Amino acid sequence: NGATFEATTKKAVDDDVGGRLAMASPSEAREVSDNEAIRIFQQMKREAQLMIAKISELEYELGEHELVQTNIGKLDPSRAAFRLVGTVLIRQTVGEVLPKVAENRENITKTITQLRAALADKNTKIAEWKAKYDIKTQQEHELEQRSRAAQEAAAKTTTDAPSMGVLA
């Protein structure tokens, strides 16, 4: 149950993320065209967004598990409890459910930690790829243009202004 959840989640993460890391490795020996570099960059960004979405989803589930654990922890261990396993609702006792909820919560926490580490690695690879191929996002390009325009305006103002003395 808990081990199955962890293995299934790890496989899903590996399939979604790890399976495509080799394709977009910044240490590729051959040079790629500008269009190919941008396509790979965009793919890497999409993968990072998927990881962020999965982390958010798991954090929500973690909150639900914490809430359940807090609420049923106060109940009599022999009281009936219902647990959803896949699409099947199973009747058990609070004493049987509580350890399973705690185990699932622990597995979710481990998975979140692994995903965060993978996301940090992905972001490092994205930054390396951007630097290697001098890729700029639209926002970065616009900011660079505004900065250049402001510098030119400041330079023009100082060169066009008449010389003025300081009054004492």
Side-chain angles (χ1 to χ4, degrees):
N1 294 336
T4 304
F5 171 78
E6 186 174 2
T8 303
T9 305
K10 181 166 177 15
K11 177 160 177 29
V13 169
D14 290 345
D15 290 348
D16 287 348
V17 179
R20 294 182 296 239
L21 286 179
M23 174 190 80
S25 173
S27 60
E28 281 185 348
R30 67 176 180 87
E31 290 298 315
V32 296
S33 70
D34 288 345
N35 288 339
E36 183 71 7
I38 291 169
R39 187 191 65 73
I40 292 170
F41 172 75
Q42 290 170 338
Q43 178 65 29
M44 292 170 78
K45 292 291 280 185
R46 278 191 295 274
E47 290 170 0
Q49 289 299 320
L50 287 173
M51 294 169 93
I52 291 168
K54 189 64 175 177
I55 289 169
S56 295
E57 176 187 334
L58 288 174
E59 286 174 341
Y60 177 78
E61 283 186 30
L62 182 63
E64 286 182 342
H65 278 71
E66 289 170 354
L67 184 63
V68 168
Q69 197 172 12
T70 301
N71 288 329
I72 69 170
K74 302 171 190 173
L75 300 175
D76 177 27
S78 62
R79 183 175 174 168
F82 294 89
R83 181 169 172 251
L84 187 63
V85 178
T87 59
V88 178
L89 196 59
I90 298 174
R91 183 171 194 240
Q92 296 178 316
T93 64
V94 169
E96 294 170 327
V97 170
L98 198 54
K100 292 175 184 174
V101 170
E103 182 182 345
N104 283 349
R105 181 177 164 207
E106 186 178 313
N107 289 338
I108 292 170
T109 302
K110 287 178 186 177
T111 304
I112 290 171
T113 302
Q114 291 170 348
L115 275 172
R116 285 188 176 144
L119 179 61
D121 184 50
K122 175 61 77 176
N123 285 334
T124 300
K125 289 179 180 184
I126 289 170
E128 290 171 357
W129 191 262
K130 275 180 71 172
K132 181 176 180 179
Y133 291 99
D134 194 30
I135 297 172
K136 293 192 180 1
T137 63
Q138 184 68 31
Q139 292 171 332
E140 291 169 334
H141 182 67
E142 290 171 0
L143 182 62
E144 193 175 274
Q145 285 180 331
R146 277 190 239 125
S147 177
R148 211 175 305 132
Q151 287 174 352
E152 290 171 2
K156 184 175 180 179
T157 303
T158 57
T159 57
D160 291 348
S163 298
M164 294 185 204
V166 176
L167 296 176

